[in-house]
């Protein structure tokens, strides 16, 4: 289209986008069993890019059967740990070799900045596969000497859980998929992945690399389609042993319920409304920049975005001014613009949701300090928006907006700040801006959050676990902690002659 021509993209990207997409099941590229497809809309132009198949329950059955076969009897099951490790490294190398194309696909499909897609999403994907590749050969149980009378050899074995279903959201499509798949493959599981219906393209391109890396057919399967149909079917499918989900809290609740009814293992990474505490000693320009980046990155479509800033009253006005000054420097542009920071939101629906929250904030009496509007141009843009003088009982303070909206309020004492911060059903992350070490260390244990960032936001590394407290979910992605959610522990007792 006109827009793609304006910025220039790789021929490879253009070729990939020019074809109707197929799903990847048992090593084959297939249409859905009914032939039904859904149009993929480009957020920057609102034009139709291509189509993806809409999977049915019978397509899912085929994907699960392929994953089961590899897990129960296949070549994958017999691979030695170092062979799995080598395959994952090969896959990481292929992602790296195709990083620019993957970043362009991600940017065009999701709307996000192509520069950030390359540096964060794709780099994060590569790093995640490299990190977990190394774990394949470092999994082990324990040998224990029991106190029971008699003579026994007793030990534990770590065994892969089986077929893992991954339900992936649209905000970091490839990276979140990698967070779920890399560890699963490292421990020897097989997988059926459902990307979000809005953003399936990078995962489909990735599946070509899975094939190229020589990973046996059926180890990784991709089914595309609606969450309400195919996602829901995955959580109840008897051939699936574990469901790992990232998405909204309401959908996560239903995924969790169905999984538990079927006694499936489940990991839920859900919504957030992460508080940010700015103490009076904070370095105002540096903190304002970090707070703005922490909420406006990916246009606020980030689960652990720092969306509620509580700022010490003595610096409140100065801090808001610094926030606004810095925010004004963030370029709003289509994702393919290399300078883009504020990209269009993923869909018209998401744009409507965010704008209606902004209206609700105004109706509830919050002051729009900066931004607050959509844009009279093509693409689902919403201006970065800062609200001042919010109260904790406002919907814009309690509910996840998932757009570029920061709510702020002043506080007088740190005790009050902690109370405001913890007054939320969510507990994904929290941030503190201060250089007063004693106070920072006193605050960290008091915050109900799975991650606490100090003088930073959303710093993520595959070696460190990520996952929420409270209604932000349970279980962890990343870090050695994730491995335990993908393996069963078997206890073995062997009677020996006494
Ligand atoms: O999320 P959904 P949506 C939040 C954010 C956003 C809101 C709505 O607040 O505004 O969710 O986004 C699949 N059974 N987050 O509607 O529906 C769906 O196909 C099984 C936070 O896109 O939760 C997709 O693959 N699966 C979040 C995935 O679930 C179902 C990231 C997530 O979509 C399903 C995304 C069902 N019944 C949105 N219904 C984060 N924590 O990062 C849908 N899905």
């Amino acid at each position: 289209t006109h827009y793609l021509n304006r910025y220039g993209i790789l021929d490879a990207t253009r070729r990939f986008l020019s074809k109707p997409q197929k799903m990847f099941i048992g090593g084959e590229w297939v249409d859905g069993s009914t032939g039904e497809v859904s149009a993929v809309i480009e957020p920057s132009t609102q034009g139709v890019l291509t189509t993806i198949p809409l999977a049915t329950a019978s397509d899912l059955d085929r994907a699960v059967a392929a994953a089961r076969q590899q897990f129960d009897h296949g070549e994958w099951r017999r691979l030695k740990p170092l062979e799995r490790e080598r395959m994952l490294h090969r896959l990481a190398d292929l992602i790296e070799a195709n990083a620019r194309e993957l970043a362009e696909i991600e940017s065009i499909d999701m709307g996000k900045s192509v520069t950030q897609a390359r540096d964060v999403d794709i780099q994060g994907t590569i790093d995640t596969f490299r990190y977990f590749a190394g774990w394949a050969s470092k999994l082990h149980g324990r040998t224990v000497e029991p106190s029971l009378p008699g003579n026994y050899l007793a030990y534990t074995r770590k065994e892969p859980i089986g077929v893992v279903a991954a339900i992936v959201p649209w905000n970091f499509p490839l990276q979140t998929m990698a967070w779920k798949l890399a560890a699963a493959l490292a421990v020897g599981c097989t997988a059926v992945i459902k990307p979000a219906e809005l953003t399936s393209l990078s995962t489909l391109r990735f599946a070509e690399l899975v094939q190229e890396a020589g990973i046996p057919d059926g180890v990784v399967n991709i089914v595309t389609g609606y969450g309400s149909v195919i996602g829901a079917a995955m959580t109840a499918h008897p051939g699936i042993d574990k469901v790992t989900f990232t998405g909204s809290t309401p959908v996560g609740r239903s995924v969790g319920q169905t999984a538990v009814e079927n006694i499936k293992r489940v990991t839920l990474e859900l919504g957030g409304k992460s508080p940010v505490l700015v103490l009076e000693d904070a370095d105002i320009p540096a903190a304002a920049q970090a707070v703005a980046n922490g909420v406006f990155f990916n246009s606020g479509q980030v689960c652990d975005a720092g969306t509620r800033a509580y700022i010490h009253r003595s610096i409140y006005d100065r801090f808001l001014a610094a926030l606004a000054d810095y925010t004004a420097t963030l370029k709003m542009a289509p994702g393919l613009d290399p300078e883009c920071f504020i990209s269009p939101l993923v869909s018209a629906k998401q744009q409507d949701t965010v704008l209606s929250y902004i209206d609700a904030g105004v109706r509830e009496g919050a002051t729009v300090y900066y931004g607050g509007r959509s844009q009279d141009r093509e693409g689902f843009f919403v201006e970065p928006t800062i609200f001042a003088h919010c109260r904790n009982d406002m919907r814009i303070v309690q509910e996840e907006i998932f757009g570029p909206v920061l709510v702020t309020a002043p506080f007088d004492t740190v005790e009050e700040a902690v109370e405001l911060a913890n007054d939320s059903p969510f507990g994904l992350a929290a941030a503190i801006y201060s250089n007063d070490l004693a106070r920072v260390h006193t605050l960290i244990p008091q915050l109900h959050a799975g991650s606490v960032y100090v003088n930073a936001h959303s710093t993520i590394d595959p070696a460190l676990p990520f996952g929420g407290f409270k209604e932000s979910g349970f279980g962890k992605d990343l870090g050695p902690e994730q491995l335990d959610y993908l393996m069963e522990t078997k206890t073995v007792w062997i009677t020996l002659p006494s």
Side-chain angles (χ1 to χ4, degrees), residues 168-171 194 197 227 231-232 245 247-248 251 270 303 350 400 402:
V168 180
W170 44 258
N171 53 340
K194 196 203 77 63
E197 50 272 36
F245 172 85
S248 61
V251 174
L270 309 178
C303 50
Q350 197 63 18
E400 181 174 59
F402 229 60

Side-chain angles (χ1 to χ4, degrees), residues 240-482:
I240 286 171
D241 301 294
K242 148 116 204 188
V243 179
T244 169
F245 172 85
T246 298
S248 61
T249 296
V251 174
R253 202 184 299 277
S254 99
V255 166
Q257 263 161 7
T258 316
V260 169
E261 267 162 36
N262 293 279
I263 325 283
K264 279 187 206 321
R265 281 69 181 141
V266 64
T267 295
L268 301 174
E269 204 267 275
L270 309 178
K273 192 78 186 177
S274 299
V276 174
L277 307 186
V278 185
L279 308 194
E280 66 264 45
D281 75 290
D283 171 343
I284 293 177
Q289 186 166 334
V291 171
N293 288 337
V295 65
F296 298 137
F297 175 64
N298 209 29
S299 289
Q301 301 161 113
V302 178
C303 50
D304 72 341
T307 45
R308 296 185 285 144
Y310 300 106
I311 300 153
H312 192 269
R313 194 179 300 279
S314 65
I315 58 167
Y316 187 67
D317 293 338
R318 270 188 295 155
F319 197 80
L320 285 190
L323 268 177
D325 284 349
Y326 176 71
T327 303
T329 68
L330 301 175
K331 183 169 182 185
M332 182 186 282
L336 281 182
D337 181 330
E339 305 294 316
C340 160
F341 192 100
I342 304 291
S343 54
L345 300 185
V346 70
S347 65
K349 179 170 158 249
Q350 197 63 18
Q351 185 189 34
D352 288 346
T353 305
V354 173
L355 291 172
S356 67
Y357 269 113
I358 294 174
D359 286 346
V362 172
R363 272 186 276 111
E364 286 177 302
T367 314
V368 176
Y369 185 87
Y370 185 90
R373 291 168 311 231
S374 64
Q375 293 275 303
D376 188 17
R377 64 199 269 180
E378 63 179 18
F380 307 125
F381 289 95
V382 174
E383 284 180 338
T385 299
I386 302 170
F387 276 104
H389 297 289
C390 299
R391 291 186 322 268
N392 255 38
D393 61 1
M394 292 175 172
R395 280 183 60 213
I396 54 166
V397 178
Q398 286 296 324
E399 296 176 20
E400 181 174 59
I401 299 175
F402 229 60
V405 181
L406 176 67
V407 300
T408 72
F411 69 83
D412 292 300
T413 65
V414 277
E415 291 73 25
E416 184 195 350
V418 168
E419 216 163 281
L420 290 166
N422 288 339
D423 170 28
S424 164
F426 299 112
L428 195 51
I432 306 168
Y433 290 87
S434 168
N435 289 305
D436 181 340
L437 279 182
R439 284 217 291 178
V440 167
H441 283 291
T442 312
L443 282 172
I444 291 167
Q446 297 180 51
L447 294 170
H448 303 157
S451 296
V452 177
Y453 304 114
V454 179
N455 297 326
H457 207 95
S458 295
T459 37
I460 304 275
D461 187 280
L464 287 148
F466 184 90
F469 289 10
K470 302 200 283 186
E471 290 184 21
S472 292
F474 50 76
K476 296 284 181 188
D477 283 338
L478 305 185
E481 285 79 359
Q482 187 182 4

Side-chain angles (χ1 to χ4, degrees), residues 29 130 203 206 316 455:
W29 292 94
R130 294 229 166 98
T203 300
F206 163 84
Y316 187 67
N455 297 326

